[in-house]
Amino acid sequence: MKAADPLTGRLANALAGPGYGVEPGFVTMPVVRQLVTSLRARDAAGGFHAAGIGAGAERRVRPDIRGDRICWLDGPQGAAERAIYASFEVLRVALNRKLMLGLTELQLHYALYPPGAGYQRHLDRSPRGIERVVTVIVYLNEDWDVADGGELVMATDTGELVISPTAGPLVLFLSAGFEHEVRAARRERLSLTGWFSRAAAGGLPY
Ligand code: OGA
Ligand code: MN
């Protein structure tokens, strides 16, 4: 039998235990730089729009609540995005095997927070017809200084967990389990954020 993969083992244990984890060194700086290049190319091509809150007819753009611009990825473009998709696919299969999560898909978007923008405390809700189970975040900010702000603040049983959006680690958590907010930063804040999901019980989207 193949030896258990330590990385996916740690991530599965994090979800099964506290329900969240921060895995250092998930992406290398060359990959981070290539992802930033891809993000910029997608932005130049008009792929970004103001993020909204709510879905369907309830969707509203409310920069006072959520001030980022996002670009949904409809599959990978270029080597770095392909590498990220491949790592996430390994993770999806491993989480299904170890935790029987039944994850069927991954939705990913780049997010760009201009200086001063944040995202008020919220729970990552599931769009109709799909159940978001695991949130994953990769920050794309090299040389982030703590003084730059922009922290992800998660509400946990043991208090606030404050994570600086510095490039390198993977942050993951059970989507339904943790309210969280993004504090305003004093410089542009880039990330790649995704949700592993499964089809919601009882339903097809309508
Ligand atoms: C989100 C979100 C957190 C972050 O996009 O739903 O909460 O740190 N992002 O970017
Ligand atoms: Mn969120």
Side-chain angles (χ1 to χ4, degrees), residues 16-53:
Y20 62 85
V22 180
E23 175 69 26
F26 184 76
V27 275
T28 63
M29 288 311 131
V31 169
V32 167
R33 284 176 207 133
Q34 287 177 52
L35 290 172
V36 171
T37 302
S38 293
L39 179 157
R40 299 283 182 214
R42 286 173 180 270
D43 195 14
F48 277 67
H49 60 272
I53 53 167

Side-chain angles (χ1 to χ4, degrees), residues 18-20 119-125 133 135 137 139 151-163 171-183 195:
Y20 62 85
Y119 190 167
Q120 284 181 15
R121 184 165 164 154
H122 66 280
L123 203 57
D124 286 348
R125 301 209 179 270
V133 181
T135 303
I137 311 172
Y139 296 110
E151 299 90 349
L152 167 67
V153 183
M154 288 175 55
T156 76
D157 288 349
T158 51
E160 282 189 344
L161 179 69
V162 180
I163 299 168
V171 176
L172 86 173
F173 57 88
L174 293 174
S175 307
F178 301 91
E179 292 197 343
H180 54 281
E181 72 174 291
V182 177
R183 287 187 185 150
W195 293 270

Side-chain angles (χ1 to χ4, degrees), residues 8-195:
T8 58
R10 280 194 299 278
L11 296 174
N13 287 343
L15 291 177
Y20 62 85
V22 180
E23 175 69 26
F26 184 76
V27 275
T28 63
M29 288 311 131
V31 169
V32 167
R33 284 176 207 133
Q34 287 177 52
L35 290 172
V36 171
T37 302
S38 293
L39 179 157
R40 299 283 182 214
R42 286 173 180 270
D43 195 14
F48 277 67
H49 60 272
I53 53 167
E58 269 86 64
R59 184 177 181 277
R60 298 280 179 277
V61 175
R62 287 282 307 269
D64 52 324
I65 297 177
R66 172 173 193 185
D68 58 330
R69 294 192 299 120
I70 59 172
C71 173
W72 288 104
L73 275 67
D74 186 12
Q77 283 173 18
E81 289 184 5
R82 276 198 298 279
I84 280 281
Y85 266 88
S87 310
F88 281 141
E89 179 58 12
V90 169
L91 179 58
R92 185 185 71 80
V93 171
L95 293 178
N96 284 347
R97 199 174 51 232
K98 291 170 199 282
L99 303 177
M100 321 255 211
L101 289 180
L103 307 171
T104 52
E105 62 182 280
L106 173 66
Q107 310 162 295
L108 277 175
H109 70 47
Y110 285 117
L112 186 160
Y113 289 77
Y119 190 167
Q120 284 181 15
R121 184 165 164 154
H122 66 280
L123 203 57
D124 286 348
R125 301 209 179 270
S126 299
R128 191 164 288 164
I130 197 160
E131 184 186 356
R132 288 178 168 172
V133 181
V134 178
T135 303
V136 286
I137 311 172
V138 170
Y139 296 110
L140 303 176
N141 311 297
E142 263 191 89
D143 304 318
W144 191 266
D145 193 316
V146 222
D148 291 328
E151 299 90 349
L152 167 67
V153 183
M154 288 175 55
T156 76
D157 288 349
T158 51
E160 282 189 344
L161 179 69
V162 180
I163 299 168
S164 199
T166 193
L170 171 71
V171 176
L172 86 173
F173 57 88
L174 293 174
S175 307
F178 301 91
E179 292 197 343
H180 54 281
E181 72 174 291
V182 177
R183 287 187 185 150
R186 66 180 190 186
R187 58 176 266 208
E188 187 180 60
R189 177 193 194 273
L190 306 178
S191 59
L192 177 62
T193 301
W195 293 270

